[in-house]
Amino acid sequence: MSEERHGIWRAVGFTVFFLLLVALAMGSVNLLQLAVFLLVIVSSLTYLLSVFPGSRFFSIAVANFLALYTSLFHFFLTTNFSSIDAELGVIGFTMPVLGFFGGTWLQRKSIKSIVLSHKNSDIGIRAGAARWLLPVSLIGIATFFVPAGSIPLLWEEAIFFLAMGGITLVVMVVSKQVATFLLDVGLLFESFFLRIESLIMPAFAFLTFYSMNVMIFGFIYRIIDHYSSAVHFSISGVVKPISFSESLYFSIITLSTVGFGDIVPLSHVIKAVVSLQIIVSVMLLLFGFSEIMSFSKSRPKANNSEARKKS
């Protein structure tokens, strides 16, 4: 299996996992809506990978955008059109999706040329690529002015399909601009993940020092409390000895300076140790991020020098 194809399946697998999280998070979605949602995702990936070959990041950007659209549609439907039947909601959901893919099919040649030339493009959102969001947003915002529960169901259904039809028409007409926008987003993701990949080792080293900080101070809290005759912590409002797992948990929230308040230090000794950990932790975060940023800036220079030696 080639590296490119392996990367495509890896990206598709991540996207499917992400979309399953979206579907499961919507606990009120019935089986019909879930089946249609997954069918739309699988069909869209298959369509894009077959019509626009070499468009891995474009395909994944579209799939993730569909997940965002699904979340917004669910909010839109439950907030403004809660009386709509599930079957009608499914039809309304698929209308803009079919409009987009219908538009991309009609303009597939020009979109394909953009997709295949993405490696020679500058990274960044092109001017005007997101203008289509304005009319789509205005249609969605307009539905919030519909008086909920005070109009007949037939009128509510008519307004719902009118809004979804307007969004479908806009998306279909400007499908090339939508595709360009999603391609730009895919390029940005590609650049971001490539930079993240080069920072795995320094990030791992930073997490090693981070975990050492958590464990060392967690052990100190446990040792002081366990081998002392006094009780040094109040846990959920109860003054009692701290357990081993609770000491590590307290060390983590102290290091992050979150301070939920469920575990409170009482003695002066523990308060002094907590103060010391906060100072050490802040210094660790500052120097750790500084080292990671220095590594990220020096890495391109090292790669360039290696490339010149090879040449």
Side-chain angles (χ1 to χ4, degrees):
M1 181 180 292
S2 64
E3 180 65 24
E4 181 179 357
R5 185 173 295 274
H6 179 72
I8 289 175
W9 285 114
R10 183 168 53 190
V12 170
F14 171 78
T15 301
V16 171
F17 169 75
F18 171 67
L19 297 176
L20 283 175
L21 290 181
V22 176
L24 293 174
M26 298 178 181
S28 60
V29 176
N30 57 36
L31 292 177
L32 176 62
Q33 292 173 320
L34 178 61
V36 171
F37 171 68
L38 294 177
L39 179 62
V40 168
I41 298 303
V42 174
S43 301
S44 65
L45 286 174
T46 304
Y47 165 80
L48 291 170
L49 292 173
S50 60
V51 176
F52 306 119
S55 57
R56 174 180 50 157
F57 291 99
F58 174 48
S59 304
I60 302 309
V62 172
N64 290 332
F65 187 77
L66 285 174
L68 176 60
Y69 163 66
T70 302
S71 304
L72 293 175
F73 178 82
H74 184 262
F75 171 77
F76 171 78
L77 187 65
T78 55
T79 303
N80 298 340
F81 302 99
S82 57
S83 302
I84 297 293
D85 292 335
E87 292 77 10
L88 297 179
V90 168
I91 295 174
F93 169 79
T94 56
M95 286 171 59
V97 179
L98 294 177
F100 170 71
F101 288 115
T104 56
W105 175 259
L106 294 175
Q107 304 184 64
R108 61 187 180 278
K109 291 184 179 180
S110 58
I111 295 175
K112 184 176 180 179
S113 64
I114 296 174
V115 172
L116 295 179
S117 63
H118 75 279
K119 291 184 178 180
N120 299 323
S121 303
D122 294 330
I123 302 298
I125 302 297
R126 294 176 176 85
R131 290 177 182 172
W132 57 274
L133 286 172
L134 179 59
V136 170
S137 301
L138 290 177
I139 294 174
I141 293 172
T143 60
F144 283 89
F145 293 94
V146 177
S150 60
I151 59 175
L153 178 60
L154 183 62
W155 279 99
E156 186 174 348
E157 294 174 349
I159 295 173
F160 170 73
F161 280 106
L162 182 64
M164 298 310 298
I167 294 174
T168 301
L169 181 62
V170 171
V171 172
M172 185 173 184
V173 172
V174 299
S175 58
K176 182 178 179 180
Q177 287 76 14
V178 177
T180 303
F181 172 79
L182 294 175
L183 175 60
D184 291 339
V185 173
L187 289 172
L188 290 173
F189 272 115
E190 179 181 10
S191 176
F192 173 76
F193 282 118
L194 288 176
R195 290 197 300 268
I196 290 296
E197 187 177 7
S198 65
L199 297 178
I200 290 179
M201 293 307 296
F204 181 78
F206 171 75
L207 289 176
T208 301
F209 284 104
Y210 192 94
S211 61
M212 288 177 58
N213 186 314
V214 170
M215 290 186 292
I216 289 174
F217 280 94
F219 298 157
I220 293 174
Y221 295 136
R222 171 65 175 167
I223 290 170
I224 293 176
D225 190 66
H226 184 69
Y227 293 98
S228 173
S229 58
V231 180
H232 300 271
F233 292 94
S234 172
I235 304 173
S236 298
V238 179
V239 178
K240 63 178 183 178
I242 192 170
S243 66
F244 179 74
S245 59
E246 288 172 339
S247 65
L248 292 177
Y249 165 74
F250 178 70
S251 179
I252 292 174
I253 62 175
T254 301
L255 188 154
S256 59
T257 66
V258 174
F260 292 118
D262 51 347
I263 300 180
V264 180
L266 299 178
S267 66
H268 294 295
V269 174
I270 294 296
K271 289 179 180 179
V273 178
V274 168
S275 301
L276 177 62
Q277 184 182 14
I278 293 175
I279 295 173
V280 172
S281 302
V282 171
M283 298 298 293
L284 174 64
L285 292 174
L286 290 176
F287 285 108
F289 286 128
S290 175
E291 287 299 314
I292 291 176
M293 294 303 297
S294 299
F295 180 86
S296 65
K297 292 179 180 179
S298 62
R299 186 63 180 267
K301 297 179 180 178
N303 292 337
N304 293 335
S305 61
E306 290 178 2
R308 284 195 295 270
K309 289 180 181 179
K310 291 181 180 179
S311 61

